[in-house]
Amino acid sequence: MTTRNPYPKGVAKREEILRVTLEIFGRGGERDTTLRTVAKESGISLTGLMHYFASKDHLLTEVLRASDRAAEVRFHSQGSASDPGDFLARALTANASDGARIRLYVTLAAASTDPAHPAHAYFEERFALLRTTIAAHIAEEQRAGRAAPGIDPHFTASALVAASDGIQLQWLSDPGIDMAAHVRRVWSILVPEADSPPGAAPPA
């Protein structure tokens, strides 16, 4: 007797649940995103849903992780970003086309300040990876003589992440804000070329 491997089917169902969850969150926010509603719209029992996700907080956190994976695939398929500012700008452009993702991100960012929340580890890992990656890029640009030598890579990395996250919060109140342009401009100010003084603003 041949036993079929259920793994691919399970992965597909898990991805469907994550997609449905974001759709529900987009319609009614966190309050209306219940496990029962997700289970019903995913065509699975509540017990079956909890086989994949232990709680609503775990489920919502995994929606963010899935979104990050999709963004990574999307950006690789479009070619490498020219710099971290461009990378984050592209991510914000994609986020602007789906406000639910931004609302979920901001909601869980606030909740993650509780170390017991499932999103705490997600944001801790995400911020550490972003800061490390951005700082390494800046240091490499300085060694190559393309970025001003007086820049502090670690401070600048934190400042860029703060600008990216902060503009998303503002965008929720004013969707007319061009988040991508904002982040690209912040990057150009924070990381001037080697022959430009630190903090010099680019031409308007």
Side-chain angles (χ1 to χ4, degrees), residues 182-203:
H182 172 87
V183 169
R184 286 193 173 99
R185 186 170 179 82
V186 168
W187 170 259
S188 67
I189 293 172
L190 289 174
V191 189
E193 296 180 357
D195 57 351
S196 302

Side-chain angles (χ1 to χ4, degrees), residues 85-102:
D86 183 40
F87 177 86
L88 289 174
R90 292 192 197 187
L92 293 179
T93 296
N95 287 351
S97 67
D98 184 2
R101 203 279 181 188
I102 295 181

